[in-house]
Amino acid sequence: MKSRYSIFSLARNALNYHKDWERAWRSPAPKAEYDAVIVGAGGHGLATAYYLAKNHKMTNIAILEKGWLGGGNTGRNTTIIRSNYLQDSSIAIYELARSLYEGLSQDLNYNVMFSPRGVLMLCQTEHELRAFKRTAHANRLAGLDCRMITAKEVKEIVPIINDDPNCRYPILGAYYQPRGGTGRHDAVAWGYARGADSLGVDVIQNCEVTNIMRDGGKVVGLETTRGVIKTKKVGVVTAGNVSPLMQTAGIRMPIESLCLQALVSEPIKPVIDCVVMANTVHGYISQSDKGELVIGGGTDPYNNYSQRGSFPSLEHTVTALVETFPIISRLRMLRLWGGIVDMTGDRSPIISKTDVEGLYVNCGWGTGGFKAIPGSGFVFADTMANDRPHPIAEPFGLNRFAEGRLIDESVAAAVAH
Amino acid sequence: MLLVHCPVCGAEGDETDFHGGGQAHVRRPATHDPVNVSDEAQRDYLFIRHNAKGLHFERWRCDRGCGKWFHAARDTVTMEFKAYYGITELPPRELMEQATGEWAGYFKDKLK
């Protein structure tokens, strides 16, 4: 068991000039066999491993990562957390995740810096206003704490917003989730990794899975760059790289991998203390604790595995945000990055058993996975441990694509997650 | 940023002059046998994608040129275009031989 982080451990280590902190997680060599193996140590995979160990007492498990943990989309997003989706099944899983985020720092004994600073989704056309009113009603019925606010209230919450009623896309109001906000994405990965490791899970980095081994329709193990690992349960949580890996088990996925970019500005004094999403013009913005404006937009419109995006998408996003927030027009941008997101046809995720016994898959989070990490891991761990879909995960099965039972969030969620 | 070439009108431009249309050579089951389309076949047509890491056959439209759809073969890791060919045509022979997934099965007969 690891020593807890606290004010006392901080003081104790300060006396040693912080030279004796123990490592947050071990770096074990892979064992020959595990009860279960998770492929992909991003947020969703690490959360799955953590809840498998914590809730289901499966501690002889490993989580394999081809690079470094949290180095994929978990470290490449804009950290927005909200749950105001349109469909009941989406609301259930995103709200589970959002409510788990509220207590996550205490649960993990690791500060994930969850900041429920409020999420504003702007209404900039009559149609968008009407669509969000519909979402608002659906969310009220589901018991979410969300409401429509007027253009005047938007201006009070976000004084830097352009409230010119004669601009191309004037602010007509907004859909407001005060309990939404942001978190520290790396800390979520690190906190779950530390939590899982302290429960006995082997977190193994620099270990790429090259083949899912089967025998008679059952999973028997994994071929990796660090040798063969035997196991009867495999959870694939590899986001943009899910299609090639699942094809090694003979399963074709309803997924396309696209690049989604984000960028941050140079740090400035506080100008915006909530998250603003402008779906009509394709852009969203918040300010980090360091003062950088964190900016995201839409995906590049073609298949991409390179983790590098193209300039026109960024230009499109920044143009929209400069129009909405004129004071940012002279900011210089410090960093930009691209993540390979796994898009499904209905823009809803996949949490599912497969036709191969012992093989489970959690993917398709597309452009909006960060907010779902705790809920996704929670229900996927339950699905893997009990070999049946968790009730909240059930609507997200792979079978929905053959049954035509889609969870259509592509209109409700639009570009911005 | 991608630089794209239209094989129909010969226009050259960046990706904003064109529109990506996703995976190419997807067979619509109802075209061949409208009576017996299984749920699985319709799912494959609508949703299942090969999503190749590497050589990818896809459709593009020449938005600001001739307006025609055409085919391209592109590497999804290096982003390099390997070939452009017409909407009713097949890719060059050497690319058909490198094809993976359902494309490999589709091109197998054409290679004979």
Side-chain angles (χ1 to χ4, degrees):
Chain A
M1 196 63 197
K2 287 198 161 46
S3 61
R4 289 180 61 79
Y5 291 152
S6 68
I7 184 72
F8 304 109
S9 70
L10 190 62
R12 197 168 54 244
N13 280 283
L15 294 176
N16 300 332
Y17 300 98
H18 298 293
K19 284 185 293 195
D20 297 329
W21 284 105
E22 68 179 326
R23 287 189 177 278
W25 51 83
R26 301 162 292 138
S27 285
K31 287 194 261 180
E33 184 164 3
Y34 289 98
D35 293 342
V37 175
I38 310 292
V39 185
H44 292 262
L46 289 162
T48 306
Y50 174 73
Y51 291 117
L52 269 175
K54 183 179 175 229
N55 297 351
H56 305 283
K57 310 298 174 216
M58 290 178 67
T59 52
N60 182 30
I61 63 175
I63 175 161
L64 311 180
E65 167 57 46
K66 71 171 176 177
W68 65 96
L69 63 86
N73 297 344
T74 304
R76 294 167 187 268
N77 56 73
T78 49
T79 78
I80 297 170
I81 296 165
R82 64 180 181 91
S83 61
N84 49 358
Y85 280 71
L86 176 63
Q87 312 288 350
D88 286 346
S89 28
S90 312
I91 295 169
I93 191 158
Y94 288 109
E95 177 59 12
L96 170 68
R98 197 205 56 77
S99 56
L100 284 169
Y101 264 122
E102 288 187 336
L104 196 59
S105 295
Q106 288 74 23
D107 183 23
L108 296 175
N109 180 229
Y110 201 101
N111 188 2
V112 301
M113 294 167 72
F114 175 56
S115 162
R117 57 183 67 184
V119 176
L120 279 170
M121 302 173 78
L122 299 180
C123 306
Q124 293 174 286
T125 63
E126 285 294 338
H127 311 88
E128 196 174 23
L129 184 66
R130 232 174 292 160
F132 274 128
K133 277 184 184 165
R134 180 186 173 209
T135 307
H137 292 316
N139 288 175
R140 299 291 288 191
L141 283 172
L144 292 196
D145 177 17
C146 298
R147 63 177 192 273
M148 296 298 295
I149 59 176
T150 62
K152 189 161 160 283
E153 288 172 281
V154 172
K155 184 70 179 171
E156 280 163 14
I157 296 170
V158 194
I160 63 166
I161 208 159
N162 177 12
D163 61 348
D164 179 359
N166 296 316
C167 68
R168 176 69 182 85
Y169 290 109
I171 310 295
L172 305 176
Y175 185 35
Y176 186 38
Q177 182 170 31
R179 295 185 193 213
T182 61
R184 171 88 168 92
H185 49 5
D186 295 324
V188 173
W190 297 336
Y192 272 122
R194 179 170 173 268
D197 179 83
S198 70
L199 294 168
V201 177
D202 283 357
V203 180
I204 300 163
Q205 302 179 70
N206 298 312
C207 178
E208 181 172 5
V209 174
T210 51
N211 187 28
I212 298 170
M213 296 155 63
R214 291 168 292 157
D215 185 20
K218 291 182 189 171
V219 166
V220 293
L222 294 167
E223 283 171 25
T224 77
T225 50
R226 293 176 70 175
V228 170
I229 298 173
K230 284 201 278 183
T231 183
K232 293 196 170 86
K233 267 189 199 224
V234 171
V236 174
V237 200
T238 54
N241 284 291
V242 71
S243 299
L245 184 57
M246 291 299 281
Q247 278 160 22
T248 68
I251 295 175
R252 294 152 69 222
M253 299 296 292
I255 296 275
E256 286 196 282
S257 297
L258 307 176
C259 182
L260 177 66
Q261 299 179 91
L263 64 167
V264 296
S265 73
E266 58 191 331
I268 55 173
K269 287 186 176 179
V271 292
I272 179 167
D273 62 357
C274 61
V275 181
V276 176
M277 315 180 63
N279 294 357
T280 293
V281 295
H282 289 188
Y284 39 99
I285 192 167
S286 64
Q287 190 167 18
S288 74
D289 295 344
K290 284 185 285 185
E292 301 159 332
L293 294 181
V294 184
I295 292 168
T299 57
D300 288 8
Y302 42 80
N303 291 43
N304 184 340
Y305 279 91
S306 73
Q307 291 190 323
R308 280 173 187 80
S310 71
F311 187 71
S313 309
L314 289 179
E315 192 180 26
H316 183 71
T317 300
V318 171
T319 308
L321 289 173
V322 167
E323 181 74 15
T324 316
F325 304 99
I327 72 156
I328 70 171
S329 66
R330 303 225 175 154
L331 279 186
R332 281 164 295 189
M333 292 297 150
L334 277 191
R335 303 190 304 276
L336 62 90
W337 59 91
I340 300 308
V341 297
D342 39 345
M343 305 298 282
T344 56
D346 60 0
R347 301 296 183 258
S348 286
I350 293 165
I351 307 171
S352 187
K353 291 177 66 172
T354 65
D355 293 338
V356 177
E357 195 179 322
L359 181 62
Y360 308 83
V361 64
N362 180 353
C363 67
W365 293 96
T367 59
F370 175 74
K371 68 173 80 66
I373 283 172
S376 154
F378 190 94
V379 299
F380 191 49
D382 184 89
T383 301
M384 282 184 68
N386 298 310
D387 193 36
R388 54 105 187 87
H390 183 281
I392 287 179
E394 200 161 14
F396 298 99
L398 269 171
N399 50 358
R400 75 174 187 267
F401 295 98
E403 293 166 8
R405 191 175 37 74
L406 303 179
I407 306 164
D408 187 4
E409 287 289 353
S410 61
V411 178
V415 52
H417 272 272
Chain B
M1 179 149 60
L2 301 181
L3 296 177
V4 191
H5 171 85
C6 172
V8 183
C9 68
E12 292 268 7
D14 72 48
E15 61 186 59
T16 59
D17 298 326
F18 292 81
H19 175 81
Q23 181 173 328
H25 309 297
V26 181
R27 278 164 58 93
R28 178 171 175 264
T31 304
H32 304 278
D33 186 5
V35 182
N36 301 305
V37 180
S38 68
D39 288 350
E40 285 69 28
Q42 187 68 3
R43 169 199 66 192
D44 290 0
Y45 167 61
L46 289 175
F47 299 112
I48 300 290
R49 294 291 175 263
H50 183 43
N51 197 19
K53 187 174 189 170
L55 183 61
H56 190 261
F57 298 95
E58 56 196 19
R59 296 188 297 183
W60 287 81
R61 182 175 180 270
C62 184
D63 266 6
R64 296 183 192 171
C66 62
K68 300 289 187 202
W69 284 95
F70 60 90
H71 280 136
R74 183 174 58 91
D75 189 306
T76 56
V77 179
T78 65
M79 298 286 127
E80 182 193 0
F81 278 100
K82 304 283 189 187
Y84 305 98
Y85 51 102
I87 194 69
T88 57
E89 293 168 12
L90 289 168
R93 199 176 171 84
E94 68 272 18
L95 293 177
M96 287 206 274
E97 284 164 357
Q98 294 167 31
T100 54
E102 51 261 44
W103 289 317
Y106 176 70
F107 294 143
K108 208 167 78 182
D109 302 336
K110 323 276 179 190
L111 278 166
K112 281 174 191 160

